[in-house]
Amino acid sequence: MTDSHQPSAAAEEQRHLRTIKSFVMRAGRMTEGQQRGLDQGWPQFGLELQAGAQDFDALFGRSAPRTFEIGFGMGHSLLEMAAAAPEQDFIGVEVHKPGVGALLNGLMTQNLGNVRVYSCDALEVLRHCVSDASLDRLLLFFPDPWHKSRHHKRRIVQPGFAELVRQKLKVGGVLHMATDWQPYAEYMLEVLSAAPGYRNLAADGQYVPRPPERPITKFERRGERLGHGVWDLKFQRSE
Ligand SMILES: C[S@@+](CC[C@H](N)C(=O)[O-])C[C@H]1O[C@@H](n2cnc3c(N)ncnc32)[C@H](O)[C@@H]1O
């Protein structure tokens, strides 16, 4: 095989991202509210990966600042952000069905029209459904840290992830990540600092102070009481 037939590092990285999943599908009992969310909310707010590329302006019926959240968990932060910013649009992606049901139930209860939801791998959604240079913000709050070194390959933050996100952000758009696991924060910093086309928005070149627009969760409040840290990172697409 000649060198020209060797897979490039970027192609290898993309294949890695396609085959290794950053999540485990957990079986979870559904509460009545979550089931109601899935049954009644999905037709209104749910989007299918199979539908492919989306025209989000057409879908929301307007052209507004657009945020994409990966792994919204039970949806508490997403609901709070969407309720606080009705002039903005939000796309949330989560694989955990009870969480999807909880968010949908919240959207119906609060009568919010500025959120759409996918229930599948967010990386697939980014690749197949989101146009390049179309997002103002991409949020990744408390992603699974995959503590053990043999599991680090399952961390969602990888060089290929940084490049995929950069393509989907507008120039000037921001990737905002938060974690309560310092080694993961350091790893995020290392990966994004080495990724081309980004500028770290932290004044000290590392972490930004807790941004007021990131809702504080119950879990984080508990961590604060126990003296645990949280690290926020913001990287802006520069080119
Ligand atoms: C530790 S939880 C944090 C949830 C939430 N962001 C919070 O702060 O409470 C990480 C979540 O990301 C989801 N997740 C991980 N990888 C994902 C992916 N590739 N696409 C969609 N969801 C993902 C998991 O299912 C899990 O619910």
PDB file of all heavy atoms in Angstrom, residues 69-87:
ATOM      1  N   GLU A  69     -27.845  21.505  22.346  1.00  0.00           N
ATOM      2  CA  GLU A  69     -27.311  20.903  23.574  1.00  0.00           C
ATOM      3  C   GLU A  69     -27.175  19.396  23.423  1.00  0.00           C
ATOM      4  O   GLU A  69     -28.137  18.701  23.085  1.00  0.00           O
ATOM      5  CB  GLU A  69     -28.181  21.214  24.800  1.00  0.00           C
ATOM      6  CG  GLU A  69     -27.524  20.608  26.051  1.00  0.00           C
ATOM      7  CD  GLU A  69     -28.179  20.910  27.376  1.00  0.00           C
ATOM      8  OE1 GLU A  69     -29.280  21.490  27.409  1.00  0.00           O
ATOM      9  OE2 GLU A  69     -27.563  20.531  28.408  1.00  0.00           O
ATOM     10  N   ILE A  70     -25.981  18.902  23.712  1.00  0.00           N
ATOM     11  CA  ILE A  70     -25.715  17.455  23.646  1.00  0.00           C
ATOM     12  C   ILE A  70     -25.877  16.857  25.038  1.00  0.00           C
ATOM     13  O   ILE A  70     -25.266  17.324  25.996  1.00  0.00           O
ATOM     14  CB  ILE A  70     -24.271  17.190  23.151  1.00  0.00           C
ATOM     15  CG1 ILE A  70     -24.104  17.682  21.723  1.00  0.00           C
ATOM     16  CG2 ILE A  70     -23.943  15.700  23.259  1.00  0.00           C
ATOM     17  CD1 ILE A  70     -22.722  17.423  21.128  1.00  0.00           C
ATOM     18  N   GLY A  71     -26.722  15.821  25.156  1.00  0.00           N
ATOM     19  CA  GLY A  71     -26.854  15.096  26.430  1.00  0.00           C
ATOM     20  C   GLY A  71     -27.500  15.951  27.497  1.00  0.00           C
ATOM     21  O   GLY A  71     -26.886  16.226  28.523  1.00  0.00           O
ATOM     22  N   PHE A  72     -28.776  16.331  27.279  1.00  0.00           N
ATOM     23  CA  PHE A  72     -29.433  17.241  28.236  1.00  0.00           C
ATOM     24  C   PHE A  72     -29.897  16.535  29.513  1.00  0.00           C
ATOM     25  O   PHE A  72     -30.457  17.177  30.406  1.00  0.00           O
ATOM     26  CB  PHE A  72     -30.585  18.014  27.572  1.00  0.00           C
ATOM     27  CG  PHE A  72     -31.662  17.161  26.928  1.00  0.00           C
ATOM     28  CD1 PHE A  72     -32.562  16.424  27.681  1.00  0.00           C
ATOM     29  CD2 PHE A  72     -31.778  17.122  25.542  1.00  0.00           C
ATOM     30  CE1 PHE A  72     -33.557  15.655  27.089  1.00  0.00           C
ATOM     31  CE2 PHE A  72     -32.771  16.356  24.928  1.00  0.00           C
ATOM     32  CZ  PHE A  72     -33.664  15.618  25.707  1.00  0.00           C
ATOM     33  N   GLY A  73     -29.678  15.225  29.618  1.00  0.00           N
ATOM     34  CA  GLY A  73     -30.044  14.503  30.845  1.00  0.00           C
ATOM     35  C   GLY A  73     -31.549  14.532  31.046  1.00  0.00           C
ATOM     36  O   GLY A  73     -32.311  14.121  30.185  1.00  0.00           O
ATOM     37  N   MET A  74     -32.000  15.066  32.193  1.00  0.00           N
ATOM     38  CA  MET A  74     -33.446  15.155  32.453  1.00  0.00           C
ATOM     39  C   MET A  74     -34.017  16.464  31.899  1.00  0.00           C
ATOM     40  O   MET A  74     -35.204  16.743  32.056  1.00  0.00           O
ATOM     41  CB  MET A  74     -33.740  15.045  33.955  1.00  0.00           C
ATOM     42  CG  MET A  74     -33.277  13.732  34.574  1.00  0.00           C
ATOM     43  SD  MET A  74     -33.844  12.249  33.665  1.00  0.00           S
ATOM     44  CE  MET A  74     -35.519  12.101  34.249  1.00  0.00           C
ATOM     45  N   GLY A  75     -33.179  17.281  31.292  1.00  0.00           N
ATOM     46  CA  GLY A  75     -33.668  18.464  30.584  1.00  0.00           C
ATOM     47  C   GLY A  75     -33.857  19.707  31.436  1.00  0.00           C
ATOM     48  O   GLY A  75     -34.383  20.710  30.954  1.00  0.00           O
ATOM     49  N   HIS A  76     -33.418  19.644  32.722  1.00  0.00           N
ATOM     50  CA  HIS A  76     -33.678  20.793  33.604  1.00  0.00           C
ATOM     51  C   HIS A  76     -33.034  22.080  33.071  1.00  0.00           C
ATOM     52  O   HIS A  76     -33.676  23.130  33.009  1.00  0.00           O
ATOM     53  CB  HIS A  76     -33.167  20.518  35.022  1.00  0.00           C
ATOM     54  CG  HIS A  76     -33.825  19.338  35.667  1.00  0.00           C
ATOM     55  ND1 HIS A  76     -35.195  19.241  35.811  1.00  0.00           N
ATOM     56  CD2 HIS A  76     -33.320  18.196  36.193  1.00  0.00           C
ATOM     57  CE1 HIS A  76     -35.498  18.094  36.397  1.00  0.00           C
ATOM     58  NE2 HIS A  76     -34.372  17.439  36.632  1.00  0.00           N
ATOM     59  N   SER A  77     -31.744  21.995  32.688  1.00  0.00           N
ATOM     60  CA  SER A  77     -31.047  23.204  32.222  1.00  0.00           C
ATOM     61  C   SER A  77     -31.667  23.712  30.928  1.00  0.00           C
ATOM     62  O   SER A  77     -31.866  24.921  30.754  1.00  0.00           O
ATOM     63  CB  SER A  77     -29.568  22.917  31.966  1.00  0.00           C
ATOM     64  OG  SER A  77     -28.946  22.520  33.139  1.00  0.00           O
ATOM     65  N   LEU A  78     -31.971  22.784  30.039  1.00  0.00           N
ATOM     66  CA  LEU A  78     -32.515  23.175  28.734  1.00  0.00           C
ATOM     67  C   LEU A  78     -33.865  23.884  28.894  1.00  0.00           C
ATOM     68  O   LEU A  78     -34.107  24.937  28.282  1.00  0.00           O
ATOM     69  CB  LEU A  78     -32.639  21.925  27.837  1.00  0.00           C
ATOM     70  CG  LEU A  78     -33.065  22.135  26.397  1.00  0.00           C
ATOM     71  CD1 LEU A  78     -32.315  23.260  25.716  1.00  0.00           C
ATOM     72  CD2 LEU A  78     -32.904  20.839  25.590  1.00  0.00           C
ATOM     73  N   LEU A  79     -34.708  23.325  29.766  1.00  0.00           N
ATOM     74  CA  LEU A  79     -36.019  23.962  30.012  1.00  0.00           C
ATOM     75  C   LEU A  79     -35.840  25.375  30.552  1.00  0.00           C
ATOM     76  O   LEU A  79     -36.495  26.316  30.090  1.00  0.00           O
ATOM     77  CB  LEU A  79     -36.785  23.160  31.068  1.00  0.00           C
ATOM     78  CG  LEU A  79     -37.766  22.093  30.606  1.00  0.00           C
ATOM     79  CD1 LEU A  79     -38.471  21.500  31.816  1.00  0.00           C
ATOM     80  CD2 LEU A  79     -38.790  22.657  29.619  1.00  0.00           C
ATOM     81  N   GLU A  80     -34.925  25.502  31.511  1.00  0.00           N
ATOM     82  CA  GLU A  80     -34.719  26.807  32.143  1.00  0.00           C
ATOM     83  C   GLU A  80     -34.163  27.823  31.127  1.00  0.00           C
ATOM     84  O   GLU A  80     -34.621  28.967  31.065  1.00  0.00           O
ATOM     85  CB  GLU A  80     -33.743  26.637  33.319  1.00  0.00           C
ATOM     86  CG  GLU A  80     -33.826  27.780  34.302  1.00  0.00           C
ATOM     87  CD  GLU A  80     -32.956  27.545  35.533  1.00  0.00           C
ATOM     88  OE1 GLU A  80     -32.895  26.408  36.045  1.00  0.00           O
ATOM     89  OE2 GLU A  80     -32.331  28.528  35.989  1.00  0.00           O
ATOM     90  N   MET A  81     -33.210  27.385  30.326  1.00  0.00           N
ATOM     91  CA  MET A  81     -32.615  28.301  29.332  1.00  0.00           C
ATOM     92  C   MET A  81     -33.655  28.708  28.286  1.00  0.00           C
ATOM     93  O   MET A  81     -33.717  29.870  27.877  1.00  0.00           O
ATOM     94  CB  MET A  81     -31.422  27.635  28.626  1.00  0.00           C
ATOM     95  CG  MET A  81     -30.219  27.439  29.509  1.00  0.00           C
ATOM     96  SD  MET A  81     -28.798  26.762  28.620  1.00  0.00           S
ATOM     97  CE  MET A  81     -29.384  25.151  28.147  1.00  0.00           C
ATOM     98  N   ALA A  82     -34.462  27.735  27.838  1.00  0.00           N
ATOM     99  CA  ALA A  82     -35.449  28.022  26.791  1.00  0.00           C
ATOM    100  C   ALA A  82     -36.545  28.947  27.312  1.00  0.00           C
ATOM    101  O   ALA A  82     -37.009  29.848  26.601  1.00  0.00           O
ATOM    102  CB  ALA A  82     -36.047  26.717  26.261  1.00  0.00           C
ATOM    103  N   ALA A  83     -36.931  28.740  28.579  1.00  0.00           N
ATOM    104  CA  ALA A  83     -37.969  29.601  29.163  1.00  0.00           C
ATOM    105  C   ALA A  83     -37.425  31.020  29.350  1.00  0.00           C
ATOM    106  O   ALA A  83     -38.154  32.005  29.185  1.00  0.00           O
ATOM    107  CB  ALA A  83     -38.435  29.016  30.497  1.00  0.00           C
ATOM    108  N   ALA A  84     -36.131  31.119  29.669  1.00  0.00           N
ATOM    109  CA  ALA A  84     -35.533  32.436  29.931  1.00  0.00           C
ATOM    110  C   ALA A  84     -35.218  33.197  28.641  1.00  0.00           C
ATOM    111  O   ALA A  84     -34.984  34.400  28.677  1.00  0.00           O
ATOM    112  CB  ALA A  84     -34.250  32.262  30.746  1.00  0.00           C
ATOM    113  N   ALA A  85     -35.180  32.501  27.511  1.00  0.00           N
ATOM    114  CA  ALA A  85     -34.806  33.166  26.250  1.00  0.00           C
ATOM    115  C   ALA A  85     -35.783  32.786  25.123  1.00  0.00           C
ATOM    116  O   ALA A  85     -35.410  32.071  24.190  1.00  0.00           O
ATOM    117  CB  ALA A  85     -33.367  32.779  25.866  1.00  0.00           C
ATOM    118  N   PRO A  86     -37.024  33.281  25.215  1.00  0.00           N
ATOM    119  CA  PRO A  86     -38.020  32.900  24.191  1.00  0.00           C
ATOM    120  C   PRO A  86     -37.652  33.408  22.803  1.00  0.00           C
ATOM    121  O   PRO A  86     -38.192  32.923  21.807  1.00  0.00           O
ATOM    122  CB  PRO A  86     -39.321  33.544  24.698  1.00  0.00           C
ATOM    123  CG  PRO A  86     -38.909  34.574  25.684  1.00  0.00           C
ATOM    124  CD  PRO A  86     -37.587  34.152  26.250  1.00  0.00           C
ATOM    125  N   GLU A  87     -36.728  34.372  22.737  1.00  0.00           N
ATOM    126  CA  GLU A  87     -36.320  34.923  21.436  1.00  0.00           C
ATOM    127  C   GLU A  87     -35.246  34.058  20.775  1.00  0.00           C
ATOM    128  O   GLU A  87     -34.795  34.357  19.673  1.00  0.00           O
ATOM    129  CB  GLU A  87     -35.829  36.377  21.597  1.00  0.00           C
ATOM    130  CG  GLU A  87     -34.448  36.543  22.248  1.00  0.00           C
ATOM    131  CD  GLU A  87     -34.366  36.211  23.750  1.00  0.00           C
ATOM    132  OE1 GLU A  87     -35.404  35.888  24.365  1.00  0.00           O
ATOM    133  OE2 GLU A  87     -33.248  36.256  24.294  1.00  0.00           O
TER     134      GLU A  87
END
